[in-house]
Amino acid sequence: MVKMRQCFLTIWGMLDPIYYFCSRLEYVEDKTKNRDIFRVRLMKYKGRDIVLSDGTEIKKNDLLLKIHLHNVRLIKELIHLDSEIKKGRLIYEQVKKGLPNLTEYLQRHEQFANIKGIVGITILNKGCERLGFETFFIINSFYRWYKQMTFAPMYLISQFRLDGFRRPPKYLFMSKDKLIKLYGCQSDQ
């Protein structure tokens, strides 16, 4: 089983640059130009209207910075860990470490004034509130199923238990103002 996971990870690693190119993602880097766990792109939001706890309203066609975790890189680190707690802690720490760099990226972006916040979709949403994110269910059942299927390879290769895979994917949102308040001027990695 380990050999099969390694094989899938190798194939995924070869396909990832194609996905990166086709999806118009950009890497977030730290001050020393090391690539972060985040890859991002601008998007126009197409979901239902959302009101965040700080009063920020996210409506259809609002400009958001969509965040993607660099899954191949993350799984290469996760595959060697033997417990779900260690895996969860690693993901949490990687995201926490990357948020100041993401904030700096956002503040330097040419569309900064028009961007309302950040959004991501994940099944790994446990503990995200401690980082400042707010979670919302994906209402469209087809889109929710589609996102769950796109997460399946990462989930299975990284050796997460199958019962955890039953968690539905959720939107993660954070307003631009909250991101800057929590993580601005901290990126010194």
Side-chain angles (χ1 to χ4, degrees), residues 15-41:
L15 295 175
D16 187 64
I18 298 166
Y19 169 74
Y20 173 78
F21 177 76
C22 293
S23 61
R24 303 178 332 270
L25 291 172
E26 296 180 26
Y27 280 97
V28 174
E29 298 175 335
D30 65 15
K31 289 184 186 270
T32 61
K33 301 295 182 195
N34 290 315
R35 289 180 173 171
D36 210 318
I37 196 69
F38 289 114
R39 301 191 291 185
V40 298
R41 72 175 174 86

Side-chain angles (χ1 to χ4, degrees), residues 26-103:
E26 296 180 26
Y27 280 97
V28 174
E29 298 175 335
D30 65 15
K31 289 184 186 270
T32 61
K33 301 295 182 195
N34 290 315
R35 289 180 173 171
D36 210 318
I37 196 69
F38 289 114
R39 301 191 291 185
V40 298
R41 72 175 174 86
L42 282 183
M43 65 165 278
K44 287 190 176 182
Y45 179 65
K46 298 297 180 191
R48 64 185 164 115
D49 290 358
I50 300 282
V51 178
L52 302 179
S53 61
D54 67 358
T56 301
E57 295 180 16
I58 310 290
K59 297 182 178 189
K60 188 174 181 178
N61 293 320
D62 280 346
L63 198 59
L64 298 172
L65 190 64
K66 184 165 186 189
I67 58 174
H68 294 255
L69 294 179
H70 188 182
N71 292 325
V72 172
R73 177 180 153 189
L74 191 58
I75 289 173
K76 285 180 181 177
E77 295 178 38
L78 291 175
I79 204 164
H80 301 291
L81 298 178
D82 58 355
S83 83
E84 300 304 306
I85 294 170
K86 289 178 184 175
K87 290 175 185 180
R89 190 175 295 135
L90 177 85
I91 293 168
Y92 179 88
E93 291 302 323
Q94 289 286 328
V95 170
K96 185 177 179 181
K97 179 182 173 189
L99 284 167
N101 298 323
L102 180 67
T103 306

